[in-house]
């Protein structure tokens, strides 16, 4: 069993059946993380390379751990000390990795479309770990896994995604994935941070956060990208926090058992108060754990796992 498509570049064109397969596989592989010896032989002999042109804590580490738990040979190409600084192009870097018999490349890049270019020119399978404002498919998959584990389903859930939608690859991938799975997605943020492409795609936009959060099953907060604040897209951090921050009063408008999610890294006290980030409704740390499970599932399904994936070593 596996995923037929060569690469995973986004969730826009991924089917409900494919998403269900990934989530079911992740759900069963997650158990490996609770073992004393976190190692199965499933991907023995497979080579996985992470190629990150942008910083990452969660995504990069979880892909590397996922590969190691499944006995793949993992290698991390540090772009800052690679031949990229001597001017090597992305395509040539890809050819070089192909020449070293790499099976799967995980790429994060500031340019939207960089993973697609690499996928087109490489023999290895390519997984997008975040490209510009475009997509971050594995983040949305781990978010959906977390929702399914807590709420038992995705279809019919009201999911409010709040913050800088325009610059968020997390919001885009979640919009496509959750819509495919039948959730009711509401996007909320200042008008200057609502993108046209998702409005055109029929996304439900609500500018008032109280309205967006009302009766929600899930409130997903996005990081305020402080590095973009010089563009003046909203008047001040204080005002942003007042109108689009998640606090106790706002959360009380959502369903009683609503999940609080955040892809991380968080700006505590800006888009989310610390008490809410650490509250019983918060599943932020579980999202991180599910990130490893989802990435194990993808490496298994795309790396041609050869035996029962959860079998003991
Ligand atoms: N959520 C996420 O992509 O985090 P990192 O940037 O730490 O990988």
């Amino acid at each position: 069993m596996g995923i037929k498509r060569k690469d995973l570049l986004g969730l826009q064109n991924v089917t409900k059946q494919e998403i269900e397969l990934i989530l079911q596989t992740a759900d069963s592989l997650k158990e490996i993380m609770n073992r004393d010896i976190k190692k199965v032989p499933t991907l023995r002999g497979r080579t996985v390379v992470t190629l990150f042109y942008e910083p990452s804590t969660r995504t990069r580490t979880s892909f590397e751990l996922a590969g190691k738990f499944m006995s793949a040979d993992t290698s991390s190409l540090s772009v800052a000390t690679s031949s990229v600084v001597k001017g090597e192009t992305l395509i040539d870097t890809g050819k070089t990795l192909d020449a070293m018999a790499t099976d799967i490349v995980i790429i994060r890049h500031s340019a939207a479309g960089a993973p697609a270019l690499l996928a087109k020119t490489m023999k290895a399978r390519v997984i997008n770990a975040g490209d510009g404002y475009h997509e971050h498919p594995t983040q949305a998959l781990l978010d959906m896994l977390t929702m399914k584990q807590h709420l038992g389903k995705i279809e019919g859930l009201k999911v409010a995604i709040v913050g800088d939608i325009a610059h968020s690859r997390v919001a885009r991938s979640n919009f496509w994935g959750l819509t495919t799975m039948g959730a009711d997605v509401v996007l909320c943020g200042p008008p200057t941070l609502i993108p046209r492409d998702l409005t055109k795609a029929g996304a439900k936009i609500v500018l008032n956060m109280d309205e967006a959060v009302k009766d929600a099953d899930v409130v997903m907060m996005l990081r305020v990208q402080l590095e973009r604040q010089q563009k003046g897209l909203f008047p001040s951090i204080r005002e942003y926090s007042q109108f689009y921050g998640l606090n106790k009063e706002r959360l009380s408008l959502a369903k009683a058992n609503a999940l609080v999610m955040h892809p991380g890294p968080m700006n505590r006290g800006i888009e989310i108060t610390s008490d809410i980030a650490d509250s019983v409704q918060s599943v932020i740390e579980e999202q991180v754990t599910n990130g490893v499970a989802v990435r194990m599932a993808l490496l298994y399904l795309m790396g041609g796992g050869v035996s029962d994936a959860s079998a003991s070593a």
Side-chain angles (χ1 to χ4, degrees), residues 55-60 108 136 139 263-265:
S56 167
T57 297
R58 283 148 277 266
T59 312
R60 184 175 186 152
R108 171 171 289 188
H136 190 353
Q139 177 68 44

Side-chain angles (χ1 to χ4, degrees), residues 29-236:
L29 292 179
K30 189 175 175 183
E31 168 272 322
I32 294 169
M33 297 173 73
N34 297 325
R35 296 183 187 180
D36 263 1
I37 298 171
K38 302 170 187 62
K39 193 74 119 180
V40 294
T42 319
L43 292 181
R44 204 158 49 195
R46 296 284 189 273
T47 307
V48 177
V49 175
T50 57
L51 178 59
F52 276 53
Y53 290 77
E54 277 192 338
S56 167
T57 297
R58 283 148 277 266
T59 312
R60 184 175 186 152
T61 309
S62 60
F63 264 116
E64 286 169 12
L65 289 176
K68 287 179 199 302
F69 292 167
M70 305 198 75
S71 301
D73 293 308
T74 60
S75 177
S76 173
L77 195 149
S78 171
V79 169
T81 53
S82 74
S83 289
V84 170
V85 294
K86 298 181 204 162
E88 185 160 70
T89 66
L90 180 63
I91 292 175
D92 282 340
T93 301
K95 283 183 180 167
T96 305
L97 294 177
D98 260 344
M100 292 187 220
T102 305
D103 294 302
I104 301 180
V105 173
I106 322 292
I107 177 174
R108 171 171 289 188
H109 203 288
S110 59
L117 178 65
L118 199 64
K120 219 187 279 179
T121 52
M122 280 194 83
K123 285 196 275 254
R125 300 181 94 167
V126 174
I127 299 178
N128 179 6
D131 62 330
Y133 310 154
H134 177 227
E135 284 227 33
H136 190 353
T138 60
Q139 177 68 44
L141 288 165
L142 73 88
D143 292 338
M144 287 190 277
L145 178 63
T146 309
M147 291 176 206
K148 194 145 190 259
Q149 284 175 346
H150 275 269
L151 303 173
K153 60 174 189 171
I154 297 172
E155 191 168 359
L157 294 181
K158 178 179 175 182
V159 181
I161 306 179
V162 184
D164 181 353
I165 311 286
H167 300 110
S168 176
R169 50 199 180 206
V170 174
R172 269 190 188 72
S173 284
N174 265 296
F175 172 73
W176 296 120
L178 286 165
T179 304
T180 298
M181 297 303 285
D184 174 20
V185 183
V186 174
L187 304 179
C188 173
T192 47
L193 298 178
I194 299 292
R196 285 213 196 120
D197 61 329
L198 293 184
T199 312
K200 273 193 201 154
K204 201 178 286 177
I205 310 292
V206 175
L207 300 179
N208 181 291
M209 187 171 170
D210 290 353
E211 196 188 322
V213 167
K214 192 168 174 355
D215 296 327
D217 297 281
V218 177
V219 182
M220 184 185 294
M221 300 306 298
L222 301 174
R223 181 173 76 89
V224 174
Q225 304 197 20
L226 296 168
E227 61 274 23
R228 299 188 208 287
Q229 174 50 9
Q230 67 267 31
K231 285 190 186 167
L233 294 170
F234 51 87
S236 72

